[in-house]
mmCIF file with all atom_site columns, all heavy atoms in Angstrom:
data_model
loop_
_atom_site.group_PDB
_atom_site.id
_atom_site.type_symbol
_atom_site.label_atom_id
_atom_site.label_alt_id
_atom_site.label_comp_id
_atom_site.label_asym_id
_atom_site.label_entity_id
_atom_site.label_seq_id
_atom_site.pdbx_PDB_ins_code
_atom_site.Cartn_x
_atom_site.Cartn_y
_atom_site.Cartn_z
_atom_site.occupancy
_atom_site.B_iso_or_equiv
_atom_site.pdbx_formal_charge
_atom_site.auth_seq_id
_atom_site.auth_comp_id
_atom_site.auth_asym_id
_atom_site.auth_atom_id
_atom_site.pdbx_PDB_model_num
ATOM 1  N N   . TYR A 1 180 ? 13.100 -3.345  -2.737  1.00 93.00 ? 201 TYR A N   1
ATOM 2  C CA  . TYR A 1 180 ? 12.306 -2.576  -3.703  1.00 93.00 ? 201 TYR A CA  1
ATOM 3  C C   . TYR A 1 180 ? 12.721 -2.798  -5.155  1.00 93.00 ? 201 TYR A C   1
ATOM 4  O O   . TYR A 1 180 ? 11.992 -2.422  -6.070  1.00 93.00 ? 201 TYR A O   1
ATOM 5  C CB  . TYR A 1 180 ? 12.397 -1.078  -3.401  1.00 93.00 ? 201 TYR A CB  1
ATOM 6  C CG  . TYR A 1 180 ? 11.820 -0.674  -2.067  1.00 93.00 ? 201 TYR A CG  1
ATOM 7  C CD1 . TYR A 1 180 ? 12.502 0.192   -1.216  1.00 93.00 ? 201 TYR A CD1 1
ATOM 8  C CD2 . TYR A 1 180 ? 10.588 -1.156  -1.641  1.00 93.00 ? 201 TYR A CD2 1
ATOM 9  C CE1 . TYR A 1 180 ? 11.977 0.566   0.004   1.00 93.00 ? 201 TYR A CE1 1
ATOM 10 C CE2 . TYR A 1 180 ? 10.053 -0.786  -0.420  1.00 93.00 ? 201 TYR A CE2 1
ATOM 11 C CZ  . TYR A 1 180 ? 10.751 0.067   0.397   1.00 93.00 ? 201 TYR A CZ  1
ATOM 12 O OH  . TYR A 1 180 ? 10.227 0.432   1.605   1.00 93.00 ? 201 TYR A OH  1
ATOM 13 N N   . SER A 1 181 ? 13.870 -3.404  -5.385  1.00 94.00 ? 202 SER A N   1
ATOM 14 C CA  . SER A 1 181 ? 14.404 -3.508  -6.745  1.00 94.00 ? 202 SER A CA  1
ATOM 15 C C   . SER A 1 181 ? 13.474 -4.183  -7.753  1.00 94.00 ? 202 SER A C   1
ATOM 16 O O   . SER A 1 181 ? 13.460 -3.783  -8.925  1.00 94.00 ? 202 SER A O   1
ATOM 17 C CB  . SER A 1 181 ? 15.775 -4.197  -6.730  1.00 94.00 ? 202 SER A CB  1
ATOM 18 O OG  . SER A 1 181 ? 15.676 -5.520  -6.257  1.00 94.00 ? 202 SER A OG  1
ATOM 19 N N   . PRO A 1 182 ? 12.648 -5.174  -7.383  1.00 94.00 ? 203 PRO A N   1
ATOM 20 C CA  . PRO A 1 182 ? 11.777 -5.787  -8.391  1.00 94.00 ? 203 PRO A CA  1
ATOM 21 C C   . PRO A 1 182 ? 10.688 -4.861  -8.935  1.00 94.00 ? 203 PRO A C   1
ATOM 22 O O   . PRO A 1 182 ? 10.093 -5.153  -9.967  1.00 94.00 ? 203 PRO A O   1
ATOM 23 C CB  . PRO A 1 182 ? 11.130 -6.965  -7.646  1.00 94.00 ? 203 PRO A CB  1
ATOM 24 C CG  . PRO A 1 182 ? 12.030 -7.246  -6.507  1.00 94.00 ? 203 PRO A CG  1
ATOM 25 C CD  . PRO A 1 182 ? 12.612 -5.928  -6.125  1.00 94.00 ? 203 PRO A CD  1
ATOM 26 N N   . LEU A 1 183 ? 10.427 -3.759  -8.263  1.00 93.00 ? 204 LEU A N   1
ATOM 27 C CA  . LEU A 1 183 ? 9.345  -2.887  -8.710  1.00 93.00 ? 204 LEU A CA  1
ATOM 28 C C   . LEU A 1 183 ? 9.622  -2.302  -10.090 1.00 93.00 ? 204 LEU A C   1
ATOM 29 O O   . LEU A 1 183 ? 8.695  -1.994  -10.833 1.00 93.00 ? 204 LEU A O   1
ATOM 30 C CB  . LEU A 1 183 ? 9.098  -1.774  -7.692  1.00 93.00 ? 204 LEU A CB  1
ATOM 31 C CG  . LEU A 1 183 ? 8.656  -2.262  -6.305  1.00 93.00 ? 204 LEU A CG  1
ATOM 32 C CD1 . LEU A 1 183 ? 8.446  -1.085  -5.369  1.00 93.00 ? 204 LEU A CD1 1
ATOM 33 C CD2 . LEU A 1 183 ? 7.392  -3.113  -6.402  1.00 93.00 ? 204 LEU A CD2 1
ATOM 34 N N   . LYS A 1 184 ? 10.885 -2.173  -10.448 1.00 91.00 ? 205 LYS A N   1
ATOM 35 C CA  . LYS A 1 184 ? 11.229 -1.733  -11.805 1.00 91.00 ? 205 LYS A CA  1
ATOM 36 C C   . LYS A 1 184 ? 11.252 -2.930  -12.749 1.00 91.00 ? 205 LYS A C   1
ATOM 37 O O   . LYS A 1 184 ? 10.696 -2.877  -13.851 1.00 91.00 ? 205 LYS A O   1
ATOM 38 C CB  . LYS A 1 184 ? 12.586 -1.037  -11.803 1.00 91.00 ? 205 LYS A CB  1
ATOM 39 C CG  . LYS A 1 184 ? 13.007 -0.570  -13.183 1.00 91.00 ? 205 LYS A CG  1
ATOM 40 C CD  . LYS A 1 184 ? 14.338 0.145   -13.167 1.00 91.00 ? 205 LYS A CD  1
ATOM 41 C CE  . LYS A 1 184 ? 14.723 0.587   -14.570 1.00 91.00 ? 205 LYS A CE  1
ATOM 42 N NZ  . LYS A 1 184 ? 16.050 1.213   -14.609 1.00 91.00 ? 205 LYS A NZ  1
ATOM 43 N N   . ALA A 1 185 ? 11.853 -4.024  -12.301 1.00 92.00 ? 206 ALA A N   1
ATOM 44 C CA  . ALA A 1 185 ? 12.001 -5.199  -13.165 1.00 92.00 ? 206 ALA A CA  1
ATOM 45 C C   . ALA A 1 185 ? 10.656 -5.833  -13.521 1.00 92.00 ? 206 ALA A C   1
ATOM 46 O O   . ALA A 1 185 ? 10.527 -6.469  -14.559 1.00 92.00 ? 206 ALA A O   1
ATOM 47 C CB  . ALA A 1 185 ? 12.892 -6.236  -12.471 1.00 92.00 ? 206 ALA A CB  1
ATOM 48 N N   . CYS A 1 186 ? 9.656  -5.651  -12.660 1.00 96.00 ? 207 CYS A N   1
ATOM 49 C CA  . CYS A 1 186 ? 8.361  -6.306  -12.867 1.00 96.00 ? 207 CYS A CA  1
ATOM 50 C C   . CYS A 1 186 ? 7.329  -5.405  -13.541 1.00 96.00 ? 207 CYS A C   1
ATOM 51 O O   . CYS A 1 186 ? 6.129  -5.653  -13.446 1.00 96.00 ? 207 CYS A O   1
ATOM 52 C CB  . CYS A 1 186 ? 7.810  -6.790  -11.522 1.00 96.00 ? 207 CYS A CB  1
ATOM 53 S SG  . CYS A 1 186 ? 8.689  -8.191  -10.841 1.00 96.00 ? 207 CYS A SG  1
ATOM 54 N N   . ASP A 1 187 ? 7.777  -4.380  -14.214 1.00 95.00 ? 208 ASP A N   1
ATOM 55 C CA  . ASP A 1 187 ? 6.849  -3.402  -14.798 1.00 95.00 ? 208 ASP A CA  1
ATOM 56 C C   . ASP A 1 187 ? 5.717  -4.049  -15.589 1.00 95.00 ? 208 ASP A C   1
ATOM 57 O O   . ASP A 1 187 ? 4.560  -3.642  -15.475 1.00 95.00 ? 208 ASP A O   1
ATOM 58 C CB  . ASP A 1 187 ? 7.622  -2.428  -15.697 1.00 95.00 ? 208 ASP A CB  1
ATOM 59 C CG  . ASP A 1 187 ? 6.714  -1.365  -16.273 1.00 95.00 ? 208 ASP A CG  1
ATOM 60 O OD1 . ASP A 1 187 ? 6.249  -0.497  -15.508 1.00 95.00 ? 208 ASP A OD1 1
ATOM 61 O OD2 . ASP A 1 187 ? 6.446  -1.408  -17.493 1.00 95.00 ? 208 ASP A OD2 1
ATOM 62 N N   . ALA A 1 188 ? 5.999  -5.072  -16.366 1.00 97.00 ? 209 ALA A N   1
ATOM 63 C CA  . ALA A 1 188 ? 4.964  -5.706  -17.195 1.00 97.00 ? 209 ALA A CA  1
ATOM 64 C C   . ALA A 1 188 ? 3.913  -6.421  -16.365 1.00 97.00 ? 209 ALA A C   1
ATOM 65 O O   . ALA A 1 188 ? 2.813  -6.695  -16.844 1.00 97.00 ? 209 ALA A O   1
ATOM 66 C CB  . ALA A 1 188 ? 5.612  -6.701  -18.157 1.00 97.00 ? 209 ALA A CB  1
ATOM 67 N N   . HIS A 1 189 ? 4.232  -6.705  -15.103 1.00 98.00 ? 210 HIS A N   1
ATOM 68 C CA  . HIS A 1 189 ? 3.306  -7.428  -14.229 1.00 98.00 ? 210 HIS A CA  1
ATOM 69 C C   . HIS A 1 189 ? 2.559  -6.497  -13.273 1.00 98.00 ? 210 HIS A C   1
ATOM 70 O O   . HIS A 1 189 ? 1.742  -6.959  -12.487 1.00 98.00 ? 210 HIS A O   1
ATOM 71 C CB  . HIS A 1 189 ? 4.074  -8.469  -13.397 1.00 98.00 ? 210 HIS A CB  1
ATOM 72 C CG  . HIS A 1 189 ? 4.809  -9.465  -14.218 1.00 98.00 ? 210 HIS A CG  1
ATOM 73 N ND1 . HIS A 1 189 ? 4.174  -10.502 -14.879 1.00 98.00 ? 210 HIS A ND1 1
ATOM 74 C CD2 . HIS A 1 189 ? 6.127  -9.591  -14.494 1.00 98.00 ? 210 HIS A CD2 1
ATOM 75 C CE1 . HIS A 1 189 ? 5.083  -11.215 -15.519 1.00 98.00 ? 210 HIS A CE1 1
ATOM 76 N NE2 . HIS A 1 189 ? 6.262  -10.686 -15.311 1.00 98.00 ? 210 HIS A NE2 1
ATOM 77 N N   . LEU A 1 190 ? 2.845  -5.208  -13.334 1.00 98.00 ? 211 LEU A N   1
ATOM 78 C CA  . LEU A 1 190 ? 2.307  -4.269  -12.352 1.00 98.00 ? 211 LEU A CA  1
ATOM 79 C C   . LEU A 1 190 ? 1.259  -3.338  -12.956 1.00 98.00 ? 211 LEU A C   1
ATOM 80 O O   . LEU A 1 190 ? 1.471  -2.739  -14.007 1.00 98.00 ? 211 LEU A O   1
ATOM 81 C CB  . LEU A 1 190 ? 3.439  -3.446  -11.743 1.00 98.00 ? 211 LEU A CB  1
ATOM 82 C CG  . LEU A 1 190 ? 4.437  -4.246  -10.900 1.00 98.00 ? 211 LEU A CG  1
ATOM 83 C CD1 . LEU A 1 190 ? 5.667  -3.406  -10.585 1.00 98.00 ? 211 LEU A CD1 1
ATOM 84 C CD2 . LEU A 1 190 ? 3.776  -4.734  -9.625  1.00 98.00 ? 211 LEU A CD2 1
ATOM 85 N N   . GLN A 1 191 ? 0.150  -3.208  -12.251 1.00 97.00 ? 212 GLN A N   1
ATOM 86 C CA  . GLN A 1 191 ? -0.910 -2.284  -12.621 1.00 97.00 ? 212 GLN A CA  1
ATOM 87 C C   . GLN A 1 191 ? -0.662 -0.900  -12.021 1.00 97.00 ? 212 GLN A C   1
ATOM 88 O O   . GLN A 1 191 ? -0.856 0.122   -12.659 1.00 97.00 ? 212 GLN A O   1
ATOM 89 C CB  . GLN A 1 191 ? -2.262 -2.820  -12.126 1.00 97.00 ? 212 GLN A CB  1
ATOM 90 C CG  . GLN A 1 191 ? -3.443 -1.893  -12.343 1.00 97.00 ? 212 GLN A CG  1
ATOM 91 C CD  . GLN A 1 191 ? -3.818 -1.737  -13.799 1.00 97.00 ? 212 GLN A CD  1
ATOM 92 O OE1 . GLN A 1 191 ? -3.502 -2.605  -14.624 1.00 97.00 ? 212 GLN A OE1 1
ATOM 93 N NE2 . GLN A 1 191 ? -4.484 -0.651  -14.143 1.00 97.00 ? 212 GLN A NE2 1
#
Side-chain angles (χ1 to χ4, degrees):
Y201 296 134
S202 63
L204 298 180
K205 179 179 180 183
C207 288
D208 182 70
H210 301 285
L211 294 168
Q212 175 69 23

